[in-house]
Amino acid sequence: MACNGSSCQSNCYRDEDEPSAKSDDVRSTAAAAAVNGSGAVCVKCKVNEPIAGAAAADGRFCAECFRSNLFAKFRHAVTSNAMISPADNVLVAFSGGHASRVALQFVHDMQYKAQKNFDASRDLDRSLPVFGVGVAFIDESTVSPILSSEMDRVHGDIKLIVSQLSPPNKELHIFPVESVYSEGSRDSRDRLKELLDRVSDTTGKEDLLAHLRMLSLQKIASDNGYNRIVLGSCTSRIASHVLSATVKGQGYSLPADIQYVDARWGVPLVFPLRDCLAQELRVLCRLDGLKTAELPNGPCSSINSLVSSFVALLQEENPSRECTIVRTAGKLTPFHFNRIPEINDCNVPLATRRRQKRSNLKLNGSISSESFCAICYSPLNKSDLPALGSLETQKSASDVFGAACCSSCQFQILPRDASDMEHFYSLLPEALVSRAKQTNKYDFSSLREQIQDYLLSDSETDP
Amino acid sequence: MAESHAKVQKAGGGRFCCICNEKRAALKRPKTLEQICRECFYTVFEEEIHQVIMENQLFKPGERIAIGASGGKDSTVLACVLSELNRRHNYGLDLFLLSVDEGITGYRDDSLETVKRNEIQYGLPLKIVSYKDLYGWTMDEIVKIIGLKNNCTFCGVFRRQALDRGAALLKVDKLATGHNADDIAETVLLNILRGDIARLSRCTAITTGEDGPIPRCKPFKYTYEKEIVMYAYFKRLDYFSTECIYSPNAYRGFAREFIKDLERIRPRAILDIIKSGESFRIATSTKMPEQGTCERCGYISSQKWCKACVLLEGLNRGLPKLGIGRTRVSGKDQKKDIKQSSGMKSIASKQCGSLDF
């Protein structure tokens, strides 16, 4: 706000009849702004009029400064965590919403700039290639009540959005979520539907679908040679996740999900919009006319939606609440996989490696964990793990699988009844089951099978 | 979720108690939604608390234990259950009731009458410490000076110390308070919302202040508020259920409401929040305040003077705003502090645990 009091000694502009003020053109712009709006100027450049109609948090910047401020947060996250290096091939997970739309736009801007630099250095050395970008959209129409016409429209919108973001060209991968099942199985749609129907808890169903979505993204990325997945999770989204994970009793594994990098998966996930608020991203989409392709969201009575509306209410009351929540949770100890694995390849420029070393230093106190939940793939607390001895050899595969899940998944996703559990297990995607077998030490029975012939008696050899 | 659970119960146990299968079910247990009879409810309720006491070794035989008694439902049920368990399981404890008289007419005087009846009902000796005796001020007098804003800051800070002083007078080894699972879940959430990582790391501990003069423990850490009300209701316990006249119902209200909503969808959520709070791993590099002692009264304090002494000093010198807000007070620049603190009202009003809504 401009000060009107005559005693004001600050840097802002007073009434027109003050000739000693700065350059004239600046003054006239400011005056024009004052005539148009309420007389306020952008707090950063002090020239342009702040964005009209934006809520309190953003109402201080002009469109230009707002945009560059947001992009700076993105770029800072990318560079200080070594998220994208020139040799990379990144896959942007695009849901059609505001956040991932902005992520896509920013990644494109970066790539475009890198391409321009590359072209300019045509005759000189070309040591820095331009990173590749692909876009993935997971179609969940199988499991949500969306009209096929609606879905077709969304597909069309997404194709249009991606085709407009070139050059450089970006490949678009549209996959139905049931593609998590291996290609051989024809009835994957029905299997997926039945699997989700077996989950009685609303929240559990939502979460299982989210885990399958992640599995699909991983599949697309590894099948198509991508080595990073960019997610558009913003501060608001992460703040909601902090609370909902707390409410679900996942306090131990929570820090794994809310860092800039999550490399526990085959293809590491990166979160460059971790410091941007959902509201800011919405404003940017509106300002720049970024087209989104959002699907209607029906009313929902899950824990996740209850938490989201709670956080939204808190944010309304205090515009820094979401940041505070994420900052608090950020003080929890992260895991060893919450950084991009060190590159020891001499082909990678030294500067990149050095930068990465620096950014990785702060994770010194991280926890290393070897066991992961068979469903949500969250790291398991050692004290929650079943004792190896309790997993008897004669237990069925589904029991062993169930024992390898975190208590939250056991409660909200797995069926309680043993025969139901067996059926549920048979409906799971093969990728999920095999991942659980590979990554966990729970598969004690298979180890035992291998040495079975040499064991003398059960009772003595049980550890 | 809740529905499906209820269905299972109906299909399985009919209208009979699903624990004893003999009597008719009289209630749905808030914690698990099991339909059980009254007697089985008493049994599981008391037995769960017994298990918590045993697993966490809250008490040792021969210890003198003070029960923080306000006359409200939580402390009344705590007094009732602890004296019963002490008898039944031979804990060998000497139990006492300890009340704080804040000096609030129309509220504390009435609730103290309840505590005095409890003294007779459960046969537990009662000790009352009053703000007037300890500090020379009653809450009525304080509110007259500072008004209805920030008054909870005074009351909270003074009560904490008053309980410790009362416990010292009783020569007890430990103080048991009636904080229930809902309270703790709420504190976990509030600490996340406020960014208070230091408190977040210790707010789920069942025993606190073991390095201090008198450790405190919360036998109701895993006990749901609804079950405490249910126990008090069915046992027709004599308790006082009026809210403090100086703390209107907005106190902590917002997070509380959220917890109640969660409980409706998923009763287990309260226990899960506590579980999360217990399993949070706080980075070692996080700065924690150092604990020292107050130079004036010797009470534990992270500053030169403890909070109670700072507040008291302000009251006695006619500068009641002293120590409210996030300013540090040292003798010389007090005037500056007052200036600053009056500009920081909005932060201060959050100190009593309410998120300004």
Side-chain angles (χ1 to χ4, degrees):
Chain A
M1 278 203 296
C3 304
N4 296 320
S6 54
S7 62
C8 175
Q9 294 297 313
S10 69
N11 218 2
C12 55
Y13 300 105
R14 295 178 212 173
D15 292 329
E16 262 86 317
D17 46 30
E18 178 104 42
S20 64
K22 321 237 161 132
S23 63
D24 270 330
D25 53 312
V26 173
R27 283 199 64 228
S28 60
T29 328
V35 171
N36 287 341
S38 53
V41 288
C42 165
V43 289
K44 195 170 176 200
C45 64
K46 300 198 168 62
V47 174
N48 296 325
E49 193 185 348
I51 305 164
D58 315 303
R60 303 169 300 132
F61 288 121
C62 67
E64 198 49 51
C65 293
F66 175 74
R67 190 178 300 117
S68 62
N69 176 45
L70 212 53
F71 186 74
K73 286 200 250 182
F74 166 84
R75 203 183 38 206
H76 182 256
V78 169
T79 52
S80 57
N81 296 284
M83 284 181 189
I84 302 175
S85 31
D88 284 343
N89 201 16
V90 304
L91 179 69
V92 180
F94 183 38
S95 69
H98 294 96
S100 54
R101 178 67 186 88
V102 172
L104 179 57
Q105 185 66 38
F106 282 173
V107 169
H108 167 73
D109 291 349
M110 252 183 100
Q111 193 199 19
Y112 180 71
K113 209 172 161 195
Q115 182 70 50
K116 259 179 33 188
N117 288 344
F118 183 75
D119 292 342
S121 67
R122 186 172 297 274
D123 301 322
L124 303 168
D125 78 314
R126 286 189 158 187
S127 59
L128 292 179
V130 178
F131 65 90
V133 177
V135 182
F137 176 76
I138 308 290
D139 179 342
E140 285 164 19
S141 50
T142 311
V143 287
S144 51
I146 299 168
L147 296 173
S148 63
S149 59
E150 186 83 359
M151 210 19 136
D152 289 343
R153 180 186 61 79
V154 169
H155 282 203
D157 286 352
I158 285 169
K159 280 177 192 153
L160 185 69
I161 290 167
V162 174
S163 68
Q164 282 170 348
L165 289 175
S166 60
N169 202 30
K170 292 171 187 57
E171 199 180 340
L172 172 63
H173 311 268
I174 297 186
F175 272 85
V177 68
E178 61 265 26
S179 66
V180 286
Y181 289 94
S182 51
E183 281 150 39
S185 53
R186 275 176 297 132
D187 54 346
S188 55
R189 275 178 80 101
D190 300 329
R191 271 179 79 185
L192 177 68
K193 267 189 181 167
E194 203 185 337
L195 178 73
L196 287 169
D197 283 344
R198 294 266 148 187
V199 182
S200 56
D201 189 278
T202 326
T203 318
K205 198 178 290 195
E206 250 180 55
D207 288 354
L208 179 58
L209 185 58
H211 305 322
L212 295 178
R213 192 185 304 137
M214 180 53 65
L215 218 56
S216 321
L217 280 173
Q218 287 291 329
K219 196 168 174 231
I220 297 172
S222 59
D223 287 354
N224 296 281
Y226 293 100
N227 68 340
R228 295 277 186 280
I229 297 177
V230 173
L231 294 184
S233 311
C234 56
T235 309
S236 320
R237 187 72 185 270
I238 294 171
S240 294
H241 181 78
V242 168
L243 290 193
S244 49
T246 305
V247 168
K248 289 171 201 162
Q250 298 164 332
Y252 177 79
S253 63
L254 165 65
D257 309 334
I258 55 163
Q259 311 295 328
Y260 289 100
V261 175
D262 178 0
R264 80 188 104 153
W265 313 85
V267 181
L269 311 176
V270 296
F271 303 87
L273 296 185
R274 185 179 180 264
D275 301 325
C276 305
L277 296 171
Q279 199 207 358
E280 292 176 326
L281 301 174
R282 266 196 301 275
V283 171
L284 186 73
C285 282
R286 205 195 61 207
L287 276 180
D288 286 2
L290 299 181
K291 199 168 158 49
T292 54
E294 265 179 299
L295 288 160
N297 250 345
C300 186
S301 60
S302 71
I303 301 255
N304 301 331
S305 61
L306 182 64
V307 169
S308 300
S309 50
F310 178 62
V311 172
L313 205 59
L314 291 169
Q315 177 72 7
E316 221 168 89
E317 215 58 48
N318 180 342
S320 60
R321 189 68 73 197
E322 291 174 342
C323 295
T324 310
I325 296 172
V326 175
R327 204 157 13 89
T328 316
K331 286 181 187 152
L332 302 175
T333 314
F335 289 82
H336 67 101
F337 52 75
N338 285 126
R339 59 187 171 92
I340 295 289
E342 295 267 340
I343 321 158
N344 283 320
D345 190 352
C346 343
N347 293 329
V348 177
L350 189 64
T352 312
R353 277 184 281 162
R354 203 179 288 148
R355 191 167 59 205
Q356 197 194 14
K357 272 226 172 75
R358 198 170 52 222
S359 63
N360 277 342
L361 272 180
K362 61 183 177 230
L363 282 177
N364 269 346
S366 64
I367 316 168
S368 63
S369 168
E370 303 91 28
S371 327
F372 294 90
C373 168
I375 288 186
C376 67
Y377 212 47
S378 60
L380 295 174
N381 195 344
K382 287 203 178 75
S383 64
D384 286 350
L385 281 178
L388 283 176
S390 68
L391 293 174
E392 295 148 45
T393 41
Q394 61 266 39
K395 267 196 176 173
S396 67
S398 64
D399 285 343
V400 177
F401 180 87
C405 292
C406 67
S407 63
S408 174
C409 286
Q410 282 176 357
F411 172 75
Q412 64 172 14
I413 295 177
L414 300 187
R416 258 169 272 300
D417 186 73
S419 61
D420 283 352
M421 180 58 204
E422 210 142 303
H423 190 65
F424 178 84
Y425 179 71
S426 70
L427 291 167
L428 285 167
E430 301 78 5
L432 198 103
V433 174
S434 63
R435 180 186 71 186
K437 276 189 181 154
Q438 275 165 19
T439 54
N440 279 329
K441 297 186 172 164
Y442 85 86
D443 203 18
F444 197 65
S445 49
S446 74
L447 282 182
R448 200 184 162 113
E449 265 164 38
Q450 292 173 32
I451 53 166
Q452 187 68 52
D453 297 344
Y454 301 92
L455 299 178
L456 296 176
S457 106
D458 278 1
S459 56
E460 282 171 29
T461 50
D462 270 343
Chain B
M1 213 302 298
E3 276 179 17
S4 68
H5 226 290
K7 257 183 223 161
V8 173
Q9 294 309 330
K10 259 178 206 161
R15 277 165 164 250
F16 286 102
C17 166
C18 70
I19 292 179
C20 64
N21 253 328
E22 283 168 12
K23 296 204 181 76
R24 283 193 168 271
L27 55 100
K28 202 161 74 184
R29 220 190 142 193
K31 201 173 193 169
T32 58
L33 302 179
E34 293 167 311
Q35 297 197 357
I36 54 178
C37 67
R38 223 186 265 193
E39 281 68 29
C40 285
F41 172 67
Y42 296 150
T43 315
V44 289
F45 182 88
E46 289 159 3
E47 206 48 33
E48 269 183 20
I49 294 161
H50 173 59
Q51 286 308 323
V52 169
I53 291 172
M54 297 316 282
E55 277 164 24
N56 296 283
Q57 297 172 315
L58 294 189
F59 309 120
K60 291 189 201 86
E63 275 187 332
R64 291 163 68 91
I65 305 294
I67 299 169
S70 67
K73 59 178 169 28
D74 296 312
S75 53
T76 306
V77 173
L78 182 66
C80 170
V81 170
L82 271 192
S83 55
E84 172 61 30
L85 289 178
N86 189 26
R87 205 166 25 242
R88 191 185 299 162
H89 296 287
N90 292 320
Y91 288 168
L93 301 177
D94 273 332
L95 296 176
F96 300 88
L97 294 176
L98 173 58
S99 289
V100 176
D101 182 3
E102 294 95 344
I104 302 175
T105 323
Y107 167 68
R108 189 51 86 206
D109 43 2
D110 293 346
S111 66
L112 282 177
E113 290 307 312
T114 316
V115 182
K116 282 173 192 160
R117 287 197 298 275
N118 289 342
E119 178 184 15
I120 301 161
Q121 285 155 358
Y122 307 123
L124 304 177
L126 166 69
K127 169 85 192 165
I128 300 176
V129 286
S130 74
Y131 282 7
K132 187 75 186 168
D133 295 344
L134 291 178
Y135 309 109
W137 291 80
T138 65
M139 271 315 283
D140 285 340
E141 289 161 358
I142 293 174
V143 168
K144 227 174 250 168
I145 291 182
I146 65 154
L148 284 172
K149 215 168 179 189
N150 298 330
N151 55 326
C152 293
T153 307
F154 285 85
C155 195
V157 169
F158 286 166
R159 185 181 310 107
R160 186 185 162 76
Q161 216 177 87
L163 276 173
D164 276 341
R165 299 232 194 140
L169 288 176
L170 281 172
K171 294 193 178 64
V172 293
D173 302 292
K174 223 171 238 175
L175 178 65
T177 55
H179 292 102
N180 57 43
D182 299 47
D183 294 332
I184 295 166
E186 193 183 325
T187 311
V188 171
L189 286 183
L190 281 174
N191 283 331
I192 296 176
L193 298 184
R194 279 190 300 214
D196 196 334
I197 194 79
R199 284 202 176 80
L200 182 62
S201 65
R202 54 186 145 92
C203 67
T204 48
I206 192 161
T207 309
T208 53
E210 275 165 309
D211 47 348
I214 290 149
R216 298 177 175 207
C217 64
K218 311 181 188 96
F220 283 171
K221 184 182 170 191
Y222 301 103
T223 308
Y224 280 33
E225 184 180 38
K226 283 217 174 95
E227 299 202 348
I228 293 173
V229 175
M230 208 171 244
Y231 189 87
Y233 172 81
F234 281 124
K235 286 234 165 180
R236 297 189 194 288
L237 296 187
D238 181 8
Y239 72 91
F240 183 79
S241 59
T242 309
E243 272 189 75
C244 173
I245 52 169
Y246 294 140
S247 152
N249 47 15
Y251 184 73
R252 282 190 146 200
F254 208 74
R256 197 68 169 193
E257 210 170 281
F258 175 60
I259 301 240
K260 293 289 169 211
D261 289 344
L262 285 172
E263 192 187 3
R264 259 191 294 279
I265 301 183
R266 180 186 285 186
R268 186 183 137 119
I270 294 177
L271 288 180
D272 274 342
I273 294 174
I274 298 176
K275 186 187 167 201
S276 286
E278 289 167 340
S279 49
F280 281 146
R281 314 232 340 189
I282 314 282
T284 42
S285 60
T286 311
K287 268 189 199 156
M288 298 289 173
E290 270 175 54
Q291 203 175 72
T293 48
C294 171
E295 284 180 11
R296 202 158 167 235
C297 69
Y299 189 71
I300 47 161
S301 167
S302 56
Q303 308 292 324
K304 193 174 145 198
W305 282 11
C306 71
K307 196 76 184 163
C309 286
V310 173
L311 292 176
L312 207 55
E313 177 77 5
L315 281 175
N316 291 335
R317 292 177 46 171
L319 305 166
K321 290 274 156 59
L322 204 66
I324 297 178
R326 287 194 183 165
T327 46
R328 216 159 281 171
V329 180
S330 66
K332 285 172 196 167
D333 43 34
Q334 273 171 358
K335 270 185 188 156
K336 211 168 102 198
D337 277 328
I338 297 156
K339 242 188 212 168
Q340 279 179 344
S341 62
S342 59
M344 295 177 81
K345 266 182 195 162
S346 59
I347 295 168
S349 60
K350 279 175 204 147
Q351 282 202 338
C352 72
S354 68
L355 280 162
D356 254 352
F357 293 112

